[in-house]
C-alpha cells in the first residue's frame, strides 16, 4: 500500500530543500513509527510494504534516499539494491538490518549501500544517517551552516559557538537548523510548528517559546551578542549580520 502525506506546505521556497524519503518495510507498525518520526523531522515520506512496489517506486519517483528493510515479501531489500545499482541508479540507500543479519549487511555494503542501521534503532540515529547520506550525495559544500561565530555541521550534527560544542536535543537542533538556513528571515510560530513538529497549525501552547528559551540559554547564554531575536507578535529569526 502506498501512503503519501505532506511533510511541508507546498509551493514555498522550502520545498526545494525538503528531503524525500522512500521507506520499504513490511512490518506496518515499524513503518508507521518510522514515518511519523521522520515526518516530524520535516522529511517527506512515502512507504511501500512490499518489495516489488518498493522497487517500482524507487525507479519511477524522485527520492533523495531509500530506506530498505532486508526481509520483504516480493523483492528483498538486497535484490532491490542490486537491481538499482545494476541500472546505475545513484539513489542513496540505507539498509535496515536485524542484529543477526551480519552477512546481509556486508553483502549490502558490497552492493553499494550507503549505510545501514541495526534494528531496533532510535529515530534520531536514522535521521543523522539520512542527513549524512544526503550531504555526501550533494557534496560537502552545504554541510556547514554559519551565522556569526555560531557554526552547525550538518554531517556530524555538531554545533559550536566560538569554539566549545553546544549540546542540543534533536528538536532543538532542528529548530536552530531552520533558523540558520535563512538568517534574517522571520519564521512565524506556525511555520516553526510545521517544520519542527509537523503540526500544520499553531497548537496555541507556548511550545515554541519554551524551545526558543532553551536555545537562547544554550546558544546566546553569556555571549554579549545575542543571535536569536524575537519579533514581537510575528515570530523569531536569527540575526544575519550579528
Ligand atoms: Ca521485514
Amino acid at each position: 500500500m502506498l501512503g503519501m502525506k505532506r511533510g511541508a506546505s507546498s509551493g514555498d521556497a522550502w520545498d526545494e530543500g525538503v528531503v524525500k524519503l522512500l521507506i520499504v518495510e513490511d512490518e506496518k507498525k515499524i513503518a508507521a513509527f518510522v514515518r511519523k518520526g521522520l515526518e516530524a523531522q520535516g522529511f517527506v515520506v512515502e512507504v511501500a510494504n512490499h518489495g516489488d512496489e518498493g522497487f517500482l517506486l524507487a525507479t519511477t519517483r524522485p527520492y533523495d534516499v531509500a530506506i530498505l528493510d532486508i526481509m520483504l515479501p516480493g523483492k528483498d531489500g538486497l535484490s532491490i539494491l542490486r537491481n538499482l545499482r545494476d541500472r546505475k541508479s545513484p539513489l542513496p540507500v540505507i539498509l535496515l538490518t536485524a542484529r543477526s543479519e551480519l552477512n546481509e549487511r556486508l553483502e549490502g555494503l558490497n552492493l553499494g549501500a550507503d549505510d545501514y542501521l541495526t534494528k531496533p534503532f532510535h529515530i534520531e540515529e536514522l535521521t543523522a544517517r539520512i542527513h549524512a547520506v544526503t550531504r555526501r550525495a550533494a557534496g560537502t559544500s552545504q554541510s556547514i551552516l554559519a551565522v556569526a561565530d555560531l557554526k552547525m555541521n550538518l554531517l556530524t550534527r555538531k554545533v559550536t559557538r566560538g569554539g566549545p560544542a553546544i549540546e542540543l536535543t534533536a528538536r532543538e537542533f532542528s529548530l536552530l537548523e531552520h533558523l540558520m538556513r535563512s538568517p534574517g528571515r522571520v519564521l512565524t510560530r506556525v511555520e516553526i510548528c510545521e517544520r519542527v513538529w509537523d503540526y500544520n497549525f499553531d497548537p496555541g501552547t507556548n511550545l515554541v517559546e519554551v524551545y526558543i528559551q532553551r536555545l537562547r540559554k544554550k546558544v546566546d547564554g553569556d555571549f554579549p551578542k545575542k543571535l536569536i531575536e524575537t519579533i514581537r507578535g510575528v515570530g523569531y529569526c536569527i540575526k544575519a549580520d550579528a
Side-chain angles (χ1 to χ4, degrees), residues 50-66:
H50 191 281
D52 295 352
E53 189 203 0
F55 181 68
L56 181 68
L57 286 172
T59 48
T60 52
R61 294 176 61 82
Y63 299 104
D64 296 298
V65 182

Side-chain angles (χ1 to χ4, degrees), residues 25-27 69-73 119:
E25 165 64 82
D26 57 319
E27 284 163 77
D69 186 28
I70 288 190
M71 298 289 285
L72 291 167
K119 297 189 209 180

Side-chain angles (χ1 to χ4, degrees), residues 114-126:
D114 296 80
D115 210 339
Y116 68 86
L117 208 51
T118 308
K119 297 189 209 180
F121 53 84
H122 290 285
I123 282 295
E124 288 78 7
E125 281 179 84
L126 180 56

Side-chain angles (χ1 to χ4, degrees), residues 32-219:
F33 167 77
V34 171
R35 170 205 285 266
K36 192 163 172 253
L38 292 177
E39 284 179 344
Q41 303 284 335
F43 297 111
V44 169
V45 181
E46 292 181 6
V47 174
N49 299 126
H50 191 281
D52 295 352
E53 189 203 0
F55 181 68
L56 181 68
L57 286 172
T59 48
T60 52
R61 294 176 61 82
Y63 299 104
D64 296 298
V65 182
I67 297 155
L68 309 178
D69 186 28
I70 288 190
M71 298 289 285
L72 291 167
K75 247 185 216 308
D76 63 67
L78 291 178
S79 301
I80 296 175
L81 173 62
R82 187 182 297 114
N83 293 354
L84 284 173
R85 295 303 180 245
D86 283 349
R87 292 177 170 219
K88 307 280 177 240
S89 165
L91 178 65
V93 167
I94 298 173
L95 292 173
L96 300 181
T97 74
R99 231 164 253 294
S100 57
E101 293 172 330
L102 176 65
N103 289 336
E104 286 81 354
R105 204 178 302 155
L106 294 174
E107 193 186 344
L109 291 173
N110 281 334
L111 285 172
D114 296 80
D115 210 339
Y116 68 86
L117 208 51
T118 308
K119 297 189 209 180
F121 53 84
H122 290 285
I123 282 295
E124 288 78 7
E125 281 179 84
L126 180 56
T127 304
R129 304 293 169 94
I130 292 166
H131 282 297
V133 161
T134 53
R135 297 306 155 203
R136 240 182 279 151
T140 50
S141 59
Q142 273 292 300
S143 65
I144 296 193
L145 301 178
V147 175
D149 54 351
L150 178 64
K151 291 192 174 54
M152 169 178 280
N153 187 321
L154 298 165
L155 276 173
T156 61
R157 315 283 291 170
K158 200 173 159 188
V159 177
T160 59
R161 183 158 182 199
I166 300 171
E167 296 296 325
L168 298 178
T169 64
R171 210 67 94 163
E172 290 165 354
F173 186 97
S174 172
L175 174 55
L176 185 60
E177 181 184 348
H178 284 108
L179 291 169
M180 289 183 75
R181 278 189 183 280
S182 41
R185 182 170 173 269
V186 179
L187 291 178
T188 65
R189 272 207 309 274
V190 172
E191 282 176 301
I192 292 173
C193 285
E194 219 176 272
R195 294 174 189 185
V196 180
W197 281 272
D198 201 33
Y199 298 149
N200 51 7
F201 58 96
D202 183 342
T205 68
N206 61 354
L207 184 72
V208 176
E209 284 90 299
V210 167
Y211 271 81
I212 288 282
Q213 281 317 315
R214 286 195 207 164
L215 263 191
R216 276 216 166 97
K217 222 178 253 173
K218 293 182 176 183
V219 170

